[in-house]
Amino acid sequence: RDYQQADRKHLSGWKQWKRASSKSMQKVLNDIKELSSYLELWRHDIHSIEGKFGTSIQSYFSFLRFLVVLNFIIFILMFGFVTLPSIISKYEIFNSSFAKIPPKNVAPHCTVYKPSGDKGLVYFYTYLKDLLSGTGFLEVTSLFYGYYTIDAVWVSKLSYNLPLAYLLATFGYLALSFLWIIKRSVEGFRQNLVHHGDQFQSYCNKVFAGWDFCITDLHAAWLKHRSLQYELQVNLEEERVKRKIADRTMKEKLHIYSLRIFINVVVIAVLSGCFYSIYRATVFSQGSSSVSTRRDVTMNTQANLLVQYLPSIVITMANFIAPQIFSFLIRYEDYSPAFEIRLTLMRCVFVRLANIVVLLFSLWSQISYCDTEDCEACGYNYKLYPCWESEVGQEMYKLMIFDFITIIAVTLFLDFPRKLLVTHCSCKPVQWCGLQEFGISDNVLEIIYGQTICWIGTFFSPLLPGIATVKYFIIFYIKKISLIHTRKPAARPVRASSSNFFFFLMLLIGLILAFFPLGVSIAHIPSSKACGPFRNFNTSWEVVPDTILGFPEGLQDVLYGIASEAFAVPFLVVICLIMFYFIALAGAHKRVVKQLREQLVLESRDKMFLIRRITEAQQH
C-alpha cells in the first residue's frame, strides 16, 4: 500500500482519477454481488441441506434451482415474443390490429380444422380429462401451436412479423440453453480435472482434503466417514481389477469378451423391446383417439383417458424396468466399480432419451402416412392430423404431466408408507429393507428426462416452459421433504465436483438430442395449412428466406454470400486451424505439467536425501 501511495504522486490527475474510479466501481460491483446473493432462490434451504447432508446432495438441489431459473427465462422469452403480441392484437390493446393472410395455392380440404373444444353443458370430469390430456377447451388456448394463426401484428405504423418471431424465439431459447449449459459444464470440468489429475493426487485429496466442513449434522458426518472409506475401497478395488486384467490368460480374455458381447446383445434386445412397445402403444393410442373423434364415438371417460396416456405409461414403465435389468447385467461384465457406474448411467440416459425420440418417430410416421391424392396434396395426413403440431404438443404436455404425477405418487404412496413401516414395525424383513436411499443420479436422470421433453415441446406448446417452471418448483419441496422425512442419503455419494460436471454433461446430451426432432419438424415436415403461424409456408424454415427477400438487395447479397459454399469452405478451414492450434496448445501444456510433476518428485527425493544426510551427520 505504501508503494502504491508513493507511486500515485508521480501519476497525472487523469490517471489518478481513473484508478480511483476503477476502485470505486469494483467496490460497487462487489456490494451489488453480495446483495444479490441474498435474493438468490432457495438460498437458505440449499445451505441447510448442505449443512445436514453434504455437498453431493446439495449439488442436486442447486441443479434443480438452475433448471427452474432456465425454464422461467425461456417462458419469459416465448411469452414476450410470441404469446403477448398475439393477445395484444386479438383484444386490440394499444390500438393494435392483426392481419391474417389466407393460404395460397393450397387445396381447400387442407385448411379445415375443427378443434375438439366442448360446447354447452359438460361434466366436471370432462374438464379434468381435458386438463390432463390437453384436449377440449385447452386445445384452443394459447398453450398450443394452433392458437397462433396471426401473420402480422400492427401497433400504429409498426409491423411485427409473428411467424419470424416464433421461429427466432425457438432458436433463441435453444441457443440460450446451449451457451448457459456449456458455461456451467466448463466450470464443473475444471473442478473435476483438478480432483482426478492422477491416482496419487486423488489419494492425497481424500486423505488430507476430503472432509466436507459444511457438515454440521452428526449422522451426516458418519455418512461422510463411510463415503471416504468407500472411495478408498473403490480405489483399491480398481487397482485390484487392473492387476487382474493384466494377469488374464488368453482363455479368460475370450471368456469375458464373449460374455460381454452376449450381455450387450441382451441390452440391445431390451432396448428394442422398449422401443417397439412405445411404437405400438403410440400407434394404438393415436388410432383409437382419432377414430373416436372422427366417428363421434362416446368412449368411457376413464378408458379414453387411459388410451390417450398409454404412450406415457409405457415410456414410464420402460424407464423403470430397463435400468433394473441393466444394473443386474452389469455385475457379470467384470468392469471396475467406477466404470460400472458410468456405463449403467449412460445406458439409463440413453433409454430415457431414446424413448422420447421413438415416440416422436411413431407420431411422425402416422403424420406423414399418405395413401390418397388429397393427402399428398397437403403433404401430411390431414384427416387424422389437421393441426399436427398441436397433436405433438399435446403428447409432450401429457408426458410432462404424467412424469409430474409419477414423482408425486412415488413420494406419497411408496416412500411415506415405507417410512411408517420402518418406524413402527419391528419385523426383521422390514428393518432389513430399511428406508429408500436418496439416489442422486436417479433423481437427476428423472429431471433431465423432463427437461428434454420441455425443450422439444416448447416449439409445439410455447407456454410449456411455464408449466415446467411450476413443476420443478414443486418438485424441489417434494424432494426436500422426501430427503428429510422419508429417505436416507446414499451410503455411496459422489463427489460434488464430479456430480456437477456429470449433471450438466447429461443435460447437454439431452439438449443436443432435442435439436434433431426440432430440426426435422422445422426444416423437413410440411407445416399444417389449417393452423399456426406457418400455414402460408411449406415448412417453418421458409419464413427466413421469405423475410430476406424483403431486405435491400445489398443486404440480400451479403446474407446469400454468407450462406454460400464460397464462404462456408474457407470458414471451415479457419475453424479447423484454430481447433488444431488449441489442441497443440493443450498438448504442450500437458507436457509442461508432466515435467513439473517429475520435477516435484525429484525435489522430494532431494529433500529426503538431505534429511538423511543431516540425520547421519547428527548421529556422528
Side-chain angles (χ1 to χ4, degrees):
R1 187 184 298 127
D2 293 338
Y3 174 77
Q4 288 182 356
Q5 291 292 337
D7 188 48
R8 285 186 63 182
K9 297 178 181 179
H10 305 287
L11 295 176
S12 63
W14 165 253
K15 289 185 177 180
Q16 289 184 17
W17 179 84
K18 189 177 179 181
R19 179 178 289 185
S21 61
S22 176
K23 288 183 178 180
S24 301
M25 181 60 67
Q26 187 66 34
K27 186 176 183 301
V28 169
L29 290 176
N30 290 335
D31 292 340
I32 292 173
K33 187 176 180 180
E34 185 177 356
L35 181 63
S36 63
S37 66
Y38 290 99
L39 304 176
E40 196 174 13
L41 182 64
W42 295 320
R43 178 174 177 267
H44 176 73
D45 294 310
I46 291 178
H47 282 179
S48 176
I49 290 170
E50 184 180 19
K52 289 183 178 179
F53 304 103
T55 53
S56 58
I57 292 180
Q58 174 265 341
S59 64
Y60 164 75
F61 287 93
S62 297
F63 181 68
L64 195 56
R65 177 176 61 189
F66 168 78
L67 290 182
V68 170
V69 176
L70 176 64
N71 282 299
F72 181 72
I73 294 174
I74 294 174
F75 168 72
I76 294 297
L77 182 69
M78 295 300 293
F79 183 82
F81 287 97
V82 177
T83 307
L84 190 61
S86 300
I87 295 173
I88 287 175
S89 61
K90 285 191 176 182
Y91 290 97
E92 299 181 355
I93 303 173
F94 304 121
N95 294 324
S96 60
S97 60
F98 61 88
K100 286 188 178 182
I101 303 172
K104 299 177 182 178
N105 302 323
V106 176
H109 59 269
C110 299
T111 61
V112 177
Y113 175 47
K114 297 179 180 179
S116 59
D118 295 300
K119 298 179 181 180
L121 185 64
V122 294
Y123 291 105
F124 171 75
Y125 57 73
T126 305
Y127 280 106
L128 183 62
K129 176 185 75 68
D130 293 340
L131 188 64
L132 292 174
S133 59
T135 56
F137 74 96
L138 270 183
E139 189 174 355
V140 295
T141 62
S142 57
L143 179 61
F144 293 110
Y145 172 94
Y147 172 84
Y148 303 92
T149 56
I150 296 173
D151 293 287
V153 177
W154 291 88
V155 180
S156 297
K157 295 182 179 181
L158 298 176
S159 176
Y160 186 79
N161 190 340
L162 187 66
L164 182 64
Y166 197 107
L167 190 63
L168 292 181
T170 301
F171 293 155
Y173 82 76
L174 291 174
L176 171 69
S177 302
F178 182 76
L179 294 175
W180 203 351
I181 292 170
I182 286 290
K183 180 180 179 297
R184 298 292 295 268
S185 300
V186 169
E187 294 172 359
F189 178 72
R190 289 173 183 169
Q191 297 178 4
N192 193 44
L193 196 64
V194 169
H195 286 300
H196 296 86
D198 57 21
Q199 196 63 34
F200 180 73
Q201 184 181 358
S202 175
Y203 173 78
C204 291
N205 284 338
K206 290 180 178 65
V207 173
F208 298 108
W211 186 251
D212 188 352
F213 288 94
C214 295
I215 295 175
T216 57
D217 184 72
L218 187 63
H219 182 65
W222 178 79
L223 287 172
K224 186 63 180 178
H225 277 289
R226 291 285 305 274
S227 171
L228 290 171
Q229 181 184 0
Y230 167 71
E231 288 182 10
L232 292 172
Q233 288 175 348
V234 167
N235 287 344
L236 293 173
E237 179 66 18
E238 288 183 353
E239 291 298 321
R240 187 191 67 80
V241 170
K242 288 179 182 178
R243 290 186 180 182
K244 183 180 177 182
I245 292 172
D247 296 338
R248 277 177 186 161
T249 62
M250 184 60 66
K251 183 178 179 181
E252 290 175 340
K253 289 181 180 179
L254 289 174
H255 176 264
I256 192 65
Y257 291 151
S258 302
L259 185 60
R260 288 176 182 175
I261 291 171
F262 173 74
I263 290 175
N264 280 285
V265 170
V266 175
V267 169
I268 293 171
V270 171
L271 292 174
S272 302
C274 293
F275 298 159
Y276 182 74
S277 302
I278 294 167
Y279 174 77
R280 295 306 307 170
T282 305
V283 172
F284 176 77
S285 174
Q286 294 294 311
S288 300
S289 300
S290 60
V291 168
S292 63
T293 303
R294 191 172 64 252
R295 297 182 181 177
D296 295 329
V297 177
T298 57
M299 189 185 296
N300 188 333
T301 303
Q302 290 82 2
N304 187 16
L305 188 62
L306 182 64
V307 168
Q308 290 189 19
Y309 265 88
L310 188 60
S312 303
I313 294 171
V314 174
I315 287 175
T316 303
M317 291 178 63
N319 291 342
F320 175 75
I321 295 173
Q324 304 298 326
I325 298 174
F326 297 156
S327 300
F328 174 76
L329 292 175
I330 196 71
R331 303 172 188 171
Y332 301 97
E333 295 187 77
D334 199 16
Y335 291 117
S336 65
F339 187 76
E340 278 187 11
I341 295 172
R342 287 195 293 266
L343 182 59
T344 305
L345 288 175
M346 289 302 295
R347 285 172 176 172
C348 295
V349 169
F350 179 77
V351 72
R352 281 179 177 270
L353 300 183
N355 285 341
I356 304 173
V357 176
V358 172
L359 172 66
L360 293 172
F361 172 79
S362 306
L363 286 171
W364 287 334
S365 65
Q366 295 289 104
I367 292 166
S368 59
Y369 176 74
C370 287
D371 56 354
T372 61
E373 293 183 359
D374 292 339
C375 178
E376 291 178 357
C378 301
Y380 57 93
N381 194 339
Y382 74 97
K383 290 185 178 179
L384 297 181
Y385 305 98
C387 185
W388 66 265
E389 291 91 346
S390 290
E391 292 281 347
V392 176
Q394 287 170 359
E395 289 299 325
M396 297 296 104
Y397 173 81
K398 285 186 285 188
L399 278 176
M400 181 167 288
I401 295 298
F402 191 75
D403 182 55
F404 182 52
I405 292 172
T406 304
I407 292 172
I408 295 176
V410 167
T411 304
L412 291 178
F413 303 115
L414 290 180
D415 291 346
F416 273 104
R418 185 169 179 173
K419 167 70 174 180
L420 293 174
L421 281 174
V422 172
T423 305
H424 301 287
C425 182
S426 59
C427 301
K428 287 186 177 180
V430 174
Q431 294 299 322
W432 179 78
C433 291
L435 295 176
Q436 178 73 21
E437 287 189 349
F438 190 86
I440 299 174
S441 300
D442 295 337
N443 283 283
V444 167
L445 294 180
E446 195 174 68
I447 59 176
I448 288 175
Y449 163 76
Q451 185 58 38
T452 306
I453 293 171
C454 178
W455 278 323
I456 296 173
T458 301
F459 178 75
F460 309 102
S461 177
L463 300 185
L464 201 61
I467 299 174
T469 303
V470 176
K471 171 189 169 183
Y472 288 135
F473 190 87
I474 297 173
I475 284 176
F476 180 91
Y477 290 101
I478 291 174
K479 294 297 182 181
K480 180 186 173 184
I481 293 170
S482 176
L483 172 66
I484 295 173
H485 297 290
T486 66
R487 294 200 177 195
K488 61 181 180 181
R492 299 176 177 180
V494 293
R495 185 184 287 270
S497 60
S498 304
S499 58
N500 279 328
F501 174 64
F502 172 75
F503 296 166
F504 286 101
L505 179 63
M506 294 299 103
L507 193 62
L508 185 62
I509 291 173
L511 178 60
I512 293 172
L513 186 137
F515 288 162
F516 294 101
L518 287 175
V520 171
S521 301
I522 292 171
H524 180 68
I525 301 180
S527 55
S528 297
K529 304 301 183 290
C531 69
F534 305 107
R535 65 191 186 284
N536 290 306
F537 304 97
N538 187 36
T539 60
S540 303
W541 175 253
E542 285 189 2
V543 69
V544 176
D546 183 76
T547 305
I548 292 175
L549 290 175
F551 292 164
E553 291 187 2
L555 184 57
Q556 287 186 37
D557 294 337
V558 171
L559 294 175
Y560 285 129
I562 293 174
S564 64
E565 294 85 351
F567 178 82
V569 173
F571 180 75
L572 183 63
V573 171
V574 172
I575 291 295
C576 290
L577 290 174
I578 294 173
M579 183 180 67
F580 288 139
Y581 167 75
F582 280 108
I583 290 173
L585 190 64
H589 288 165
K590 190 174 181 180
R591 287 192 296 271
V592 170
V593 169
K594 185 179 179 181
Q595 291 174 1
L596 290 173
R597 283 178 176 169
E598 292 175 353
Q599 187 176 349
L600 286 173
V601 172
L602 292 175
E603 288 184 359
S604 65
R605 289 177 181 174
D606 291 342
K607 288 179 181 178
M608 293 299 297
F609 174 75
L610 292 173
I611 290 171
R612 284 198 300 268
R613 293 296 299 270
I614 292 170
T615 305
E616 291 174 359
Q618 289 176 350
Q619 289 176 354
H620 292 297

